[in-house]
Each structure stands twice: as structure tokens, then as C-alpha cells.
């Protein structure tokens, strides 16, 4: 703020700035007593107050050099109003009345809903109430709600808060931003996902966003994107920014567990809940087959998202069809089943304890009887496309792999397109910055309308071309093929051709950017019949 003020002084007075009084009643107006803060720890609250004095001294030295006139604030008369208190349980109006305030800035604590203490959960309830949806919100959202409520008493206040990027992705967007927008809040600027770190030892990088909001809409809107999440932002001027931090209508994607009529069912693979005793490494598989050869017919390849993308060999005991006599002849397998039984009996979940009576079975069996389409639950954000592919029905899909039974080439082509990926990048949840794919992502995606037979045939042909290009590299994993640095040229070209064809299903005019694709999809979603989104 002082440096901004120095620029103003230089613009107004230039070389003559040194002729003006700089002191208490002069051209310098910014002082530490205009700063108010709430800090939960006592020592940092004292450091903050001292740091503001030190910074003011540094700025006085800079201004002295700029004007050629020595400027000091001595003796110190003013001090910053830093309060040692809990910002969620204290009344901000006791620190400063809303009518006197211009800006709120903050870097609240980042704590996911699963890591909250009982005390923090109670604070969440105080701020947000008891509605089921808000229980999934991150702790950091309390500061957004408290700021919005405080600002109602002075709607000229502008606020900007740093937060985890999850507040603009997936299931958190609707309960947070729909609530604030209904209060009259609007987003004026935002930094999309970037990686924040500090110099402290043992501190992991956090994937953050910054959101600037107020009750008064500011134009133009500014959105900052990061091609490199550790790099510098790229500014875009927009007319509107929605809760997903994109230039699109204020649409909120409804979470749903059942597929709409135009979408196939997406489910997780089968879950063993076995304490690890039904799962085999390649070495364990070889030892078991050597010692109990009859077990070989009941060992199947077992695949989660990591195994699918990286072609990592893993196996499981799949004993659905085994007879009691066969099992009697396999003491090593029986020993593993006893360990499964004991592990399940210790589970806090009653349904898992019940399955202690059926140790040879997975607790959740969703294995298809036909070949299926596999989508990894978690995938790197570095890839332009999520690796999606067909898997043989004999491969057991784990609960870390999303599956679509009996898929067709047309659907595969749509899901492998940039149109679908633009949607994923916007509405999918994230694990750190990696994509976290879920049924809601698929079920909310708008398929193109009124697609003719010839258009479908073209998409199927181009989808097959993608598969054919992959097949030319039998020794490469999907991780290799979709690494942006080493992706084969023919595969990249096959994807770009497919992208253009899918884009044409939505509109004849080419899309200039992913932002346009997302805006188009949000508009289609907004026009969807209400019954289809409930």
C-alpha cells in the first residue's frame, strides 16, 4: 500500500515532491494504525504488529530516497490493531466497525472436512448451520461466509482470500458459492490453481486459489491462469466469473448417484476389504502357484487406476466359483482366508463384519461379465487427456478404477475428446491438483444433441484411430503415451482430429479455447430439464 502511495505522490508531484510536507499532516496518508488483524496465536500476533512497524520504517527510507527529503515517524505514535483471538468465534465488528473498513485480506487455515477436530466441526456448524451439504465444505470456507455476513453492513467492502483449490471444484462449489451468490456476493477477480510453498522445513506445497469478492460488482473482471502452477499467472479480462472460476453462467452442478437416461452407468470396481490377504504381488502369485498349483485357475489380474495407467502387474484371488473340496486341498489359500476373516471381524463397519462369514468373496462385487471401459479414479493434471481404455472382462477392476459396462466406440470417442476434458478440468474434484473422476462428472456432462448416423460413424472411426495409434506402441504404458513430453506424434494427431470432429457435434463454428467450450457446456446444462439435474 505504501509503494502504491509513493507512485501516487510521484505522479502528482514528481520532482517537486520534496517541497511538500511529508509528515503527519502532509502527503503521506497511509499508516500502520489503518491495519487491523485477528491472529489466533499470541506470538505471531505480536510479530505481525512489530513487522508492520518495521515495514513502515523501510517504506519511509524508500520515500526519503524518492523525494530527497528525510522522512521518519519518530517517536512512534500509532500502532497496528492486531488482536489475539479466534477469528471464527470473535465478532469482527469488535475489532473494527464495518462502516470504517475498506478491504479484508486473509490466508485462513487449510483443513479438509475429514481432518477437522471436534472443536472445528462445532465452529463449522456455528458459521454454516447443520445442512448436510455444507458438512463437506473445507474449514477455510468459514472465512468466506463470515466475511460475506460481515460485509452486509458495508457493501462497499472488498474481500480477497487465499483458499484450497477444492472450493472451486467438484461438490464444494454449490454449497459455498450458491449460498454466497444468493446473498448478493459476486466474484471480481480470481487466481486459478497455483502451488504455494514457503521456506519452512517439512511444509508441503498446497494447491491454492485466490478469490476476490464483494457485494459491488467491479468491472472488468480479471481471471489469472497458470500454465505452470509454480510459474507466473496469465491475466484474462472477462465479463463474469462463476463459482468454478470460469467465464460462464452461474450454474451449479448437482451431485447425483444415478445415471440420467442419456448416460451409461459409471461405477467403481470391486472392493475386497480384506486386509490385503486376497491381493497378490507377482512374486506372491508365483510362490502360491508353485506350492499350490490348483490355485492358478482362481488367480486373476487385479487392476486399479495406477495399475491401469502404468501397466503394473497385480493379482487377486477370485474365488466365486471355488468348491469346498477344492478349497480343502489348498491350505495356503485357506490360511489367507482366515486372515481375511479376522481382518473383517475387527472392522468398525457392520456390513464388513458380516462379510467375515464369506472370506472368499469381495465385500463389493461389481465385476462386469463383458469387456468394459476403464477410467482411473485419479489421474495427473499434466496430461491433456485422461487415459481411458477397454479392459478384458477377466481382469478384476478394483475400487480405484471407474468402469462402464458394455461401452460403445462413440461414447469412448466423446470421453477421449478435448470437449469432455474441458468439462473435467472445470467441474471434477481434485486430489491435490490431480483429476478425481466421479459419476457426477460424467452424469453432468452434456452429450451433443441430434447426432446423425453418419456423424456417429465418423466419431467411432476416429475413436478407433486413437486405439490403433496406441496399439503401435505395445511396450509403452498409458502413462508413457499420454506424457505431454513424449506423446507419439501419430497419437497426438489422432486425438486432434477426434477433437475437431467432436467440437463440430456441438457447434459448426470452431471453439477458440477451452473457456468457450466450458461456457457452451454450462449453457447446455442450464437449459437441461430440471428433472434431469435433480
Amino acid at each position: 500500500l505504501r509503494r502504491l502511495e509513493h507512485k501516487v505522490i510521484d505522479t502528482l508531484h514528481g520532482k517537486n515532491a520534496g517541497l511538500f510536507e511529508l509528515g503527519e499532516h502532509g502527503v503521506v496518508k497511509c499508516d500502520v494504525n489503518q491495519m487491523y488483524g485477528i491472529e489466533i496465536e499470541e506470538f505471531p500476533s505480536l510479530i505481525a504488529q512489530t513487522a508492520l512497524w518495521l515495514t513502515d520504517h523501510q517504506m519511509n527510507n524508500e520515500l526519503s530516497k524518492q523525494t530527497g527529503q528525510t522522512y521518519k515517524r519518530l517517536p512512534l505514535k500509532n500502532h497496528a490493531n492486531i488482536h489475539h483471538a479466534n477469528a471464527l468465534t470473535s465478532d469482527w465488528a469488535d475489532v473494527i466497525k464495518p462502516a470504517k473498513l475498506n478491504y479484508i485480506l486473509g490466508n485462513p487455515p487449510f483443513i479438509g472436512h475429514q481432518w477437522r477436530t471436534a472443536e472445528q466441526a462445532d465452529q463449522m456448524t456455528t458459521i454454516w448451520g447443520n445442512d448436510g451439504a455444507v458438512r463437506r465444505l473445507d474449514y477455510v470456507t468459514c472465512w468466506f461466509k463470515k466475511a460475506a455476513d460481515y460485509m452486509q453492513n458495508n457493501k462497499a467492502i472488498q474481500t480477497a482470500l487465499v483458499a484450497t483449490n477444492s472450493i472451486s471444484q467438484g461438490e464444494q462449489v454449490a454449497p459455498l458459492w450458491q449460498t454466497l451468490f444468493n446473498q448478493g456476493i459476486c466474484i471480481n477477480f480470481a487466481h486459478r490453481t497455483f502451488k504455494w510453498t514457503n521456506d519452512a522445513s517439512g511444509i508441503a506445497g498446497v494447491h491454492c486459489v485466490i478469490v476476490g469478492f464483494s457485494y459491488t460488482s467491479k468491472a472488468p473482471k480479471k481471471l489469472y491462469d497458470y500454465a505452470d502452477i509454480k510459474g507466473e499467472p496469465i491475466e484474462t479480462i472477462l465479463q463474469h466469473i462463476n463459482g468454478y472460476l470460469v467465464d460462464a453462467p452461474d450454474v451449479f452442478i448437482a451431485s447425483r448417484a444415478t445415471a440420467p437416461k442419456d448416460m451409461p452407468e459409471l461405477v467403481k470396481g470391486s472392493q475386497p476389504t480384506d486386509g490385503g490377504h486376497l491381493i497378490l504381488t507377482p512374486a506372491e502369485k508365483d510362490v502360491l502357484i508353485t506350492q499350490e498349483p490348483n490355485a492358478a485357475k482362481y488367480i486373476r489380474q487385479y487392476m486399479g487406476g495406477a495399475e491401469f495407467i502404468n501397466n503394473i502387474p497385480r493379482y487377486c484371488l477370485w474365488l466365486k466359483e471355488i468348491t469346498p473340496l477344492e478349497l480343502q486341498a489348498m491350505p495356503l489359500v485357506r490360511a489367507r482366508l482366515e486372515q481375511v476373516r479376522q481382518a473383517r471381524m475387527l472392522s468398525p463397519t457392520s456390513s464388513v463384519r458380516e462379510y467375515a462369514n464369506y472370506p472368499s468373496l469381495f465385500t463389493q462385487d461389481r465385476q462386469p461379465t463383458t469387456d468394459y471401459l476403464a477410467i482411473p479414479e485419479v489421474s495427473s493434471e499434466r496430461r491433456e487427456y485422461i487415459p481411458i481404455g477397454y479392459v478384458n472382462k477377466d481382469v478384476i477392476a478394483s475400487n480405484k478404477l471407474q468402469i462402464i459396462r458394455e461401452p460403445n466406440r462413440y461414447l469412448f470417442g466423446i470421453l477421449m475428446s478435448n470437449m469432455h476434458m474441458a468439462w473435467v478440468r472445470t467441474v471434477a474434484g481434485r486430489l491435490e491438483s490431480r483429476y478425481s473422476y466421479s459419476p457426477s462428472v460424467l452424469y453432468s456432462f452434456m452429450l451433443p444433441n441430434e447426432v446423425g448416423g453418419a456423424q456417429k460413424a465418423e466419431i467411432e472411426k476416429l475413436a478407433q484411430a486413437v486405439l490403433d495409434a496406441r496399439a503401435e506402441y505395445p511396450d509403452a504404458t498409458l502413462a508413457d503415451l499420454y506424457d505431454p513430453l513424449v506423446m507419439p506424434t501419430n497419437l497426438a494427431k489422432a486425438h486432434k482430429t477426434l477433437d475437431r470432429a467432436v467440437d463440430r457435434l456441438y457447434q459448426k463454428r470452431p471453439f477458440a479455447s477451452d473457456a468457450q467450450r466450458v461456457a457452451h457446456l454450462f449453457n447446455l446444462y442450464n437449459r437441461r430439464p430440471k428433472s434431469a439435474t435433480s
Side-chain angles (χ1 to χ4, degrees), residues 315-516:
Y315 302 90
C316 71
L317 288 167
W318 192 252
L319 303 168
K320 289 175 65 175
E321 307 299 331
I322 198 167
T323 67
L325 287 178
E326 287 177 301
L327 198 51
Q328 274 299 355
M330 299 181 194
L332 293 179
V333 173
R334 291 204 319 273
R336 281 181 169 269
L337 297 186
E338 176 58 27
Q339 289 175 304
V340 172
R341 188 183 70 82
Q342 292 180 14
R344 289 177 179 174
M345 287 177 63
L346 296 174
S347 172
T349 306
S350 59
S351 60
V352 173
R353 293 196 300 273
E354 183 179 343
Y355 258 81
N357 297 316
Y358 315 103
S360 62
L361 301 179
F362 278 35
T363 55
Q364 297 175 27
D365 177 5
R366 306 185 189 93
Q367 182 63 19
T369 56
T370 62
D371 293 352
Y372 55 92
L373 201 60
I375 305 176
E377 184 177 63
V378 178
S379 177
S380 171
E381 79 287 352
R382 290 183 62 247
R383 302 185 183 106
E384 191 171 350
Y385 308 92
I386 291 178
I388 299 173
Y390 289 88
V391 177
N392 187 281
K393 62 182 175 64
D394 292 328
V395 177
I396 305 302
S398 90
N399 55 297
K400 296 299 182 181
L401 200 64
Q402 307 276 355
I403 59 176
I404 297 175
R405 300 180 179 93
E406 301 181 5
N408 55 61
R409 285 289 188 273
Y410 171 73
L411 177 65
F412 171 76
I414 297 293
L415 296 184
M416 286 307 308
S417 72
N418 196 30
M419 196 74 178
H420 176 245
M421 281 305 304
W423 187 251
V424 171
R425 283 188 281 268
T426 302
V427 307
R430 300 287 180 112
L431 184 60
E432 295 176 329
S433 60
R434 291 171 290 167
Y435 306 124
S436 180
Y437 203 89
S438 68
S440 282
V441 177
L442 177 64
Y443 297 163
S444 61
F445 179 69
M446 298 302 298
L447 291 173
N449 294 322
E450 300 177 0
V451 178
Q455 292 172 303
K456 277 195 173 184
E458 180 188 18
I459 299 301
E460 290 170 353
K461 178 182 176 181
L462 296 177
Q464 185 60 51
V466 169
L467 293 172
D468 292 342
R470 291 181 186 176
E472 292 184 28
Y473 307 93
D475 296 329
T477 67
L478 288 171
D480 297 327
L481 293 175
Y482 285 90
D483 186 314
L485 297 179
V486 301
M487 187 178 194
T489 301
N490 62 332
L491 179 58
K493 288 182 176 179
H495 268 287
K496 295 306 178 187
T497 305
L498 176 62
D499 288 342
R500 289 191 291 270
V502 172
D503 281 356
R504 287 195 296 271
L505 298 181
Y506 288 89
Q507 69 176 32
K508 294 180 180 179
R509 184 179 69 258
F511 292 99
S513 65
D514 275 0
Q516 286 189 7

Side-chain angles (χ1 to χ4, degrees), residues 87-88 92 104 108 123-129 134 137-152 159 161 167 175-185 213 215:
L88 286 191
W92 295 3
I104 299 172
Q123 292 168 2
M124 286 283 296
T125 301
T126 300
I127 300 295
W128 281 106
V134 301
L137 289 172
D138 284 355
Y139 187 56
V140 72
T141 62
C142 290
W143 276 260
F144 284 79
K145 182 66 167 71
K146 187 148 186 173
D149 292 346
Y150 174 88
M151 293 158 65
Q152 285 182 323
T159 296
L161 300 175
I167 70 163
L176 170 59
W177 290 110
Q178 193 167 24
T179 301
L180 298 189
F181 290 170
N182 287 343
Q183 283 186 215
I185 287 292
F213 58 96
Y215 284 96

Side-chain angles (χ1 to χ4, degrees), residues 184-201:
I185 287 292
C186 57
I187 296 175
N188 292 320
F189 76 89
H191 286 251
R192 288 168 60 84
T193 299
F194 64 95
K195 191 170 185 178
W196 175 85
T197 57
N198 70 16
D199 296 328
S201 61

